[in-house]
Amino acid sequence: KEEINELLASEDRAVPREDPLLMPGLFEGKNLLMIQFESLQQFVIGQEVNGQEITPTLNRLVESGLSFENYYPQTAEGNSSDAELLVFNSLYPLKEGSTFFRYPMVDYPSLAKDFKEEGYTTTAFHGDEGTFWNRDAVYPSMGFDRYYDIDDYEDVEEHALGMGLSDEAFFEQTVNHLQELPKPYVASLITLTSHTPFLIPEDEKLINTGETKHTSLGNYFESIHYTDHYLGEFLKKLEEEGQMEDTVVVVYGDHNGVFKETKSEVEQWNGRAITEEQWRTDFTSVPFIVSSTDLKKPLHVTDVAGQIDTAPTLRDWFGLPDETTALGHNINRFMNEDVFLLRGDYGERIVIGQDRKVTDYQPGHFETLEVSERLIKSNFNHLSE
Ligand code: GP9
């Protein structure tokens, strides 16, 4: 433990803020809905294609809530499951393979467990097989009482789309499951339809992407718009049921969906050339948006943050004790001077500073992640049956 603490201290690059972003404990006792939006990237937020908003629902949430513009994914070979690992446990993923498969039953320092201690119901929802990414084995270790996977949803064949259940059916039926949960609850919803290769059937497309139609980028826009639309319907339903007063909604992207191969299409769409550095800083961040009736005015944060910072920050906003191990920083009270990024697709370590410039770039460098591996291994004492 001492060794880990020393390593953590040597990696500390945070500076205290003069004032917290939000009043600590502002959301105490509220339900928390965490929505992990498949392949969602920041560069589509507030943007249009062929004269139409790509993400109208998310744009409205940004206009009324708190949003980060420079929140970076730090996932590795475990892709979406690494995002869950990072966000809920403030641990970096392992450098090789999937953490969820290699360490399914360790005592994760999970946010869900802290909520449970406060009497919350903890539940996860996803429209894929329970075994995918070993989630059915890992979720209990992360403190989730119940995992609703595709087998818990109805008319699955009729609503199959892409890798599993369509997000339309997922959101529609999850509303009913949420109604049954004892409150307060923390619920993790993992969306699926906007997964590569982003193919939405012609009769289910909800946007005409004009000149980008039938390109990789156009397909990406169509599938992001699809999920954004049904997220909007979902939120509307919760609103009608009067659930929003007591619920904080957090939407974040898990990892990138548009990679450098598609850079020329992105350049054509937004009409300007993009340098390598601009690509790394401006086209690899993912949204992190918080919506709550407790937020009386919009707050748009440009500080650099990573998925690793999510759990300690949420603990502060929900007034949970600050005793759980976290490799990230509480962004409510500290600012990162820089953030380590691990990109699974190129295996590179990128450091982006507060000035949003790349301060360090090392292909295939994973040294900082050793801290996580040691931390996870040290938890083997707590292996359950
Ligand atoms: C699978 C889904 C997608 O259940 O979460 O995972 P990904 O392929 O993006 O890691």
Side-chain angles (χ1 to χ4, degrees):
K1 201 160 192 183
E2 258 167 43
E3 197 185 345
I4 290 161
N5 283 338
E6 249 171 57
L7 280 161
L8 289 177
S10 70
E11 291 292 347
D12 201 0
R13 291 179 162 84
V15 288
R17 290 180 190 282
E18 273 180 30
D19 296 308
L21 282 177
L22 299 180
M23 191 176 69
L26 178 66
F27 301 142
E28 200 170 329
K30 297 273 163 114
N31 303 316
L32 171 60
L33 260 182
M34 296 286 282
I35 302 177
Q36 179 170 303
F37 194 133
E38 174 65 40
S39 304
L40 177 69
Q41 287 185 238
Q42 177 65 23
F43 78 90
V44 297
I45 302 295
Q47 298 299 315
E48 292 188 351
V49 63
N50 195 29
Q52 297 144 88
E53 287 182 293
I54 301 166
T55 56
T57 302
L58 295 174
N59 296 350
R60 299 297 87 77
L61 297 185
V62 167
E63 281 160 16
S64 59
L66 179 151
S67 59
F68 274 78
E69 191 179 293
N70 298 300
Y71 174 85
Y72 287 89
Q74 296 164 303
T75 55
E77 293 178 8
N79 290 346
S80 294
S81 63
D82 281 350
E84 295 159 52
L85 175 90
L86 277 147
V87 164
F88 278 94
N89 307 296
S90 192
L91 286 177
Y92 286 106
L94 299 179
K95 57 184 177 179
E96 278 162 13
S98 137
T99 312
F100 272 21
F101 274 106
R102 288 181 56 195
Y103 297 98
M105 282 185 272
V106 294
D107 186 11
Y108 281 106
S110 167
L111 183 65
K113 286 182 184 167
D114 293 340
F115 274 110
K116 219 163 121 164
E117 287 282 306
E118 301 297 312
Y120 276 63
T121 309
T122 56
T123 314
F125 300 90
H126 185 44
D128 200 351
E129 302 297 332
T131 52
F132 205 99
W133 282 129
N134 216 15
R135 287 180 174 110
D136 56 350
V138 176
Y139 280 171
S141 313
M142 275 172 53
F144 286 107
D145 293 329
R146 172 84 156 90
Y147 175 25
Y148 289 79
D149 63 30
I150 196 163
D151 292 336
D152 294 292
Y153 287 81
E154 286 166 11
D155 306 322
V156 167
E157 275 177 32
E158 188 188 319
H159 296 297
L161 184 51
M163 280 181 79
L165 185 68
S166 73
D167 284 346
E168 176 184 11
F170 174 68
F171 278 127
E172 201 177 295
Q173 294 184 38
T174 302
V175 174
N176 305 332
H177 291 310
L178 285 175
Q179 276 167 342
E180 290 159 14
L181 294 183
K183 296 185 177 60
Y185 62 73
V186 51
S188 168
L189 276 61
I190 313 287
T191 73
L192 188 57
T193 303
S194 52
H195 192 277
T196 186
F198 314 119
L199 297 176
I200 303 292
E202 211 52 51
D203 59 346
E204 300 210 44
K205 288 181 183 172
L206 301 167
I207 189 167
N208 176 355
T209 60
E211 284 177 9
T212 67
K213 204 169 163 73
H214 302 309
T215 65
S216 302
L217 187 62
N219 293 345
Y220 178 72
F221 290 153
E222 283 168 1
S223 70
I224 292 293
H225 182 83
Y226 173 96
T227 299
D228 176 272
H229 174 83
Y230 290 110
L231 168 65
E233 301 285 301
F234 169 75
L235 295 177
K236 216 183 287 169
K237 191 90 187 279
L238 292 180
E239 180 100 56
E240 284 163 12
E241 286 173 0
Q243 288 205 43
M244 295 305 269
E245 279 292 318
D246 299 327
T247 305
V248 177
V249 178
V250 173
V251 184
Y252 62 94
D254 53 356
H255 51 69
N256 290 178
V258 174
F259 299 101
K260 263 191 279 187
E261 305 87 82
T262 313
K263 184 156 140 322
S264 59
E265 290 183 21
V266 178
E267 288 174 324
Q268 206 169 343
W269 162 66
N270 73 5
R272 64 180 171 98
I274 302 165
T275 64
E276 288 288 306
E277 179 161 323
Q278 282 167 343
W279 184 264
R280 286 189 204 114
T281 51
D282 299 347
F283 290 87
T284 59
S285 53
V286 296
F288 182 79
I289 305 166
V290 181
S291 175
S292 161
T293 52
D294 292 316
L295 296 171
K296 300 300 175 207
K297 54 178 193 261
L299 182 58
H300 187 66
V301 186
T302 54
D303 302 341
V304 173
Q307 287 170 331
I308 196 96
D309 302 316
T310 315
T313 308
L314 285 168
R315 277 190 189 100
D316 202 13
W317 289 339
F318 278 83
L320 300 176
D322 177 25
E323 287 155 10
T324 311
T325 304
L327 298 189
H329 297 121
N330 172 1
I331 297 299
N332 201 37
R333 309 213 199 185
F334 292 88
M335 279 168 66
N336 282 323
E337 290 198 323
D338 52 30
V339 60
F340 288 113
L341 304 185
L342 174 71
R343 298 298 320 285
D345 46 335
Y346 305 114
E348 58 203 346
R349 187 186 92 164
I350 310 171
V351 181
I352 293 184
Q354 268 306 325
D355 57 359
R356 298 181 58 254
K357 290 271 182 305
V358 176
T359 55
D360 188 16
Y361 174 66
Q362 298 178 41
H365 187 106
F366 292 97
E367 198 188 317
T368 58
L369 306 182
E370 298 287 341
V371 180
S372 265
E373 181 142 20
R374 287 185 213 192
L375 191 64
I376 292 171
K377 280 184 177 160
S378 74
N379 268 313
F380 257 101
N381 302 340
H382 307 290
L383 255 183
S384 69
E385 291 301 318

